[in-house]
Amino acid sequence: QVQLVESGGGLVQPGGSLRLSCAASGLTFGAYTMGWFRQAPGKEREFVASISRGGASLKYADSVKGRFTISRANDKNVVYLQINSLKPEDTTVYYCAAALSTSGGAAGPYEYWGQGTQVTVSS
């Protein structure tokens, strides 16, 4: 079965950086658009970033442009989210997702989801 496993979250200070990783298995990784989302308890899921199959097309939510960078290593079946200049409002659980569709962005649609990794930004 398909598994997406996020890692790299943790507690960081405002202005700090973090790199999240999502390791995929059980799917042909290079055939999927990959995305990152975040969702705090009781709040709506928010699109963060997506990357096309070959990595040429990148999409970002306006709220993270200039601070977040999505990338992928198809030879490793891993998608990354580099987060710089972290703000307290970035605090939440981050999820990776896989979409067979090439559209990317918020709507995907994304068929598979990881379990999430917690990012906490606090002084």
Side-chain angles (χ1 to χ4, degrees):
Q1 72 275 22
V2 173
Q3 284 192 300
L4 304 177
V5 181
E6 302 94 333
S7 62
L11 175 63
V12 295
Q13 294 183 323
S17 297
L18 210 56
R19 188 176 76 158
L20 309 184
S21 299
C22 173
S25 62
L27 78 171
T28 303
F29 186 71
Y32 284 81
T33 298
M34 300 299 297
W36 284 96
F37 293 77
R38 60 189 183 184
Q39 186 173 27
K43 297 184 179 179
E44 187 176 287
R45 183 185 65 198
E46 178 188 14
F47 168 75
V48 174
S50 68
I51 184 167
S52 61
R53 297 172 177 181
S57 180
L58 310 177
K59 297 181 179 180
Y60 297 96
D62 289 342
S63 60
V64 306
K65 286 181 180 177
R67 298 190 299 117
F68 288 28
T69 303
I70 189 171
S71 61
R72 67 192 296 163
N74 284 353
D75 58 336
K76 301 177 182 178
N77 287 10
V78 175
V79 61
Y80 304 99
L81 185 68
Q82 177 68 41
I83 311 176
N84 298 325
S85 302
L86 277 157
K87 305 175 180 180
E89 51 262 45
D90 296 321
T91 296
T92 190
V93 179
Y94 286 73
Y95 300 88
C96 68
L100 196 56
S101 169
T102 59
S103 297
Y110 295 87
E111 288 88 3
Y112 303 106
W113 297 82
Q115 84 288 353
T117 185
Q118 174 72 228
V119 172
T120 303
V121 185
S122 177
S123 298

